[in-house]
Amino acid sequence: MVAELVLALDLPRALDAFELLDRLPALRWVKVGPMLMTREGPGVVRDLVDRGLRVFLDLKWHDIPNTVSGAVAAARELGVAMATVHVLGGRAMLDAAVVSAGPDLALVGVTVLTSHDPGSYAQTVGRPGVDLNAEVARLAGMATEAGLRGVVCSPREVSLLRERLGADPYIVVPGIRRGPDALGDQVRVASAEDATRNGATHLVIGRPLLHAADPSAVLEEFMKESRCAAP
Ligand code: C5P
């Protein structure tokens, strides 16, 4: 399988996003997060969909079932192709989200945020000695049992989750870098080739493309890497 490349549009203005997209005609997927959505509103999603792009709306919903269900319905009406919810929102929230998503909106569950280490996660959930891999696997299982299309995880958990979840669920992975790329604030990174080989279906890439002098050439490099990993 060749993983899809998803450009994270972590930019303050829609205008900058569209200028960059003009230079990337080969791109099929974009991710809209809280930064762009809060500044520009749903019009930016409509414009991206009208351009023929598949939009991943990454707002990581975690609220009562009725509220999340309404947000998912709004995303579906906008033509969003994929969206995130926090698995920790609980089974009733996940069930309500799945019903609202219908067959065309792929919901993926955030397990443990990659910004947590075992200490900060243990403090947050009030449990000593949390094994983060076990916790990620447990939450990923909850997500797929509730009927979510897949999960989001760090590059370090891709193999574990592909083994536990089987072949079908989406595994969406941020933190993708080439050798020379700056890590920025990412710690747990992987190459596009390794993440694809381990079973990722969607690779989320932001700064290596957003800051590239020639984004089209960099996109082609990432595409080549993910094709190389395909069996
Ligand atoms: O710039 P960079 O390639 O690090 O961007 C990664 C993208 O993936 C950002 O939009 C970030 O918000 C998102 N993300 C992440 N870690 C997660 C979930 C999402 O880096 N656990």
Side-chain angles (χ1 to χ4, degrees):
M1 187 162 52
V2 182
E4 298 280 355
L5 300 188
V6 184
L7 169 60
L9 290 173
D10 295 325
L11 295 165
R13 296 187 316 159
L15 197 66
D16 300 325
F18 289 119
E19 270 176 23
L20 176 60
L21 291 170
D22 286 340
R23 302 173 69 186
L24 297 172
L27 192 73
R28 289 155 39 98
W29 279 87
V30 289
K31 182 172 89 80
V32 175
M35 202 191 285
L36 191 58
M37 191 70 175
T38 306
R39 280 191 190 268
E40 300 280 1
V44 72
V45 173
R46 279 191 207 99
D47 291 346
L48 291 165
V49 171
D50 287 347
R51 275 182 172 237
L53 287 160
R54 296 181 68 71
V55 177
F56 171 21
L57 186 61
D58 184 22
L59 300 179
K60 298 187 177 66
W61 291 308
H62 182 168
D63 210 316
I64 59 170
N66 182 62
T67 300
V68 171
S69 162
V72 170
R76 195 192 60 218
E77 285 160 26
L78 280 173
V80 166
M82 184 155 74
T84 39
V85 290
H86 270 283
V87 180
L88 281 172
R91 181 62 192 254
M93 186 204 79
L94 298 177
D95 288 344
V98 167
V99 170
S100 276
D104 297 328
L105 171 53
L107 282 180
V108 287
V110 176
T111 54
V112 175
L113 289 172
T114 47
S115 49
H116 274 305
D117 60 24
S120 72
Y121 191 77
Q123 186 189 41
T124 305
V125 296
R127 264 195 280 146
V130 179
D131 172 346
L132 276 194
N133 275 350
E135 186 67 355
V136 168
R138 182 182 77 79
L139 291 167
M142 233 179 108
T144 52
E145 273 163 31
L148 264 63
R149 187 66 188 82
V151 295
V152 185
C153 68
S154 90
R156 293 208 190 152
E157 292 116 28
V158 182
S159 314
L160 169 74
L161 292 190
R162 182 52 75 209
E163 193 189 307
R164 296 281 177 95
L165 302 178
D168 189 50
Y170 287 171
I171 298 184
V172 180
V173 184
I176 302 298
R177 294 290 185 271
R178 298 165 304 158
D181 289 328
L183 298 188
D185 51 0
Q186 297 283 16
V187 179
R188 302 153 83 176
V189 300
S191 69
E193 188 171 350
D194 285 347
T196 309
R197 184 172 298 122
N198 289 338
T201 54
H202 297 74
L203 310 179
V204 178
I205 305 167
R207 286 161 288 182
L209 281 166
L210 298 175
H211 298 163
D214 184 350
S216 169
V218 174
L219 179 65
E220 183 50 39
E221 280 181 43
F222 279 118
M223 282 179 164
K224 243 187 231 150
E225 274 198 49
S226 78
R227 281 196 294 264
C228 280

